[in-house]
Amino acid sequence: MRVALGIVAGLVLLALAVVLLAPASLVDPLLVARTGGRVRLVDAGGLWWRGHGTLATANGDARMPIAWHVALLPLATRTLDLELVPAEATMPRGELRVAHDAVDARDLHVALPAALLRAFAPALEPLALGGDIDVSTASFTWRPRQITGKLAGVWRESRLAIVGIPVTLGRVVTTVSGTGDAAQGAFDNSGGELAVHGTWRAIGDRLEAATTLTPTSATSPALRALLPMLGQVDAQGRVRLTWQDRR
């Protein structure tokens, strides 16, 4: 019996060692499966739970170095406790806790190319987003019917396409606030071909948004001609767009 127990214990320890010593490169096939090959983890090093690498789009044009630590014990309850550990000032930092349908962020700062965000969210592909995005929060929690905290975002050298026409928006600033059972936000820009001001609100499975587009001295003739096709133009040349959707 002792021999059998010793063999079982040895096999368990061997299996545990194999799991704990698995390389960080194993994250890449998971990313490929999750994103349909649009995002890869390249130049990976370390272990899967304490590793580093570079998130990159499939063509390699957009890249973001990243390093992480995963707490092992919470995994037993299907909870991911992830600490982003910056080896350089520009790398993501902060803490993320993901459990079931809840996400908690603490002292989080992430700077990434807009093209990398586009690769994670294929619905954004037609917009051809360009530039760089910074997102930060001291504390933000998203749970069903319980959303608290604030997020701040800056989109620098922002570019996108409206019905295939490229548009530069300059510097876009946004804020997101949790209000208990809902999340809401506002955004404005400066230095672009259009002046943009908008608000949005998400509650339950409903999303509502409103945006005003105002031409400036930098607005191209092609863009001015496009605005009446998007909506009714007021006396100041502005177009107001509204959108509602159920997710």
Side-chain angles (χ1 to χ4, degrees):
M1 179 63 73
R2 291 182 179 179
V3 173
L5 289 176
I7 293 174
V8 170
L11 291 175
V12 169
L13 290 174
L14 177 60
L16 184 61
V18 169
V19 170
L20 292 179
L21 297 177
S25 58
L26 289 182
V27 176
D28 179 54
L30 298 177
L31 266 178
V32 170
R34 187 74 174 179
T35 66
R38 295 182 300 274
V39 180
R40 304 289 306 268
L41 180 70
V42 300
D43 303 326
L47 305 175
W48 67 268
W49 57 276
R50 192 181 183 91
H52 59 85
T54 299
L55 295 176
T57 53
N59 59 14
D61 288 347
R63 302 168 65 89
M64 181 183 73
I66 187 171
W68 67 89
H69 295 169
V70 174
L72 298 177
L73 288 180
L75 294 175
T77 60
R78 302 180 65 181
T79 298
L80 175 64
D81 269 352
L82 178 69
E83 181 184 4
L84 299 174
V85 186
E88 302 173 3
T90 57
M91 292 174 64
R93 65 178 182 270
E95 298 177 5
L96 282 171
R97 182 181 178 90
V98 182
H100 308 293
D101 51 2
V103 178
D104 293 279
R106 296 287 182 273
D107 299 321
L108 181 68
H109 179 261
V110 178
L112 73 161
L116 187 58
L117 175 63
R118 193 175 76 220
F120 274 108
L124 299 175
E125 187 63 34
L127 297 177
L129 303 181
D132 296 289
I133 298 173
D134 286 10
V135 178
S136 60
T137 181
S139 176
F140 193 82
T141 297
W142 189 300
R143 293 185 175 90
R145 305 179 188 86
Q146 184 186 1
I147 305 171
T148 59
K150 292 185 177 181
L151 282 167
V154 179
W155 184 10
R156 297 181 176 86
E157 299 182 359
S158 57
R159 305 182 302 277
L160 54 75
I162 301 178
V163 196
I165 297 177
V167 182
T168 59
L169 296 178
R171 186 175 188 267
V172 179
V173 177
T174 184
T175 57
V176 179
S177 299
T179 60
D181 62 345
Q184 61 186 27
F187 51 90
D188 294 275
N189 78 314
S190 59
E193 292 182 88
L194 288 173
V196 179
H197 171 74
T199 59
W200 62 269
R201 177 177 170 84
I203 180 169
D205 62 351
R206 189 171 72 254
L207 178 63
E208 303 170 347
T211 304
T212 300
L213 307 177
T214 305
T216 70
S217 59
T219 305
S220 66
L223 195 51
R224 287 182 183 273
L226 173 65
L227 290 179
M229 302 179 190
L230 300 177
Q232 185 174 356
V233 179
D234 67 12
Q236 287 74 41
R238 298 174 300 191
V239 174
R240 178 175 169 82
L241 307 175
T242 59
W243 182 55
Q244 295 185 2
D245 187 31
R246 288 190 176 274
R247 294 168 289 169

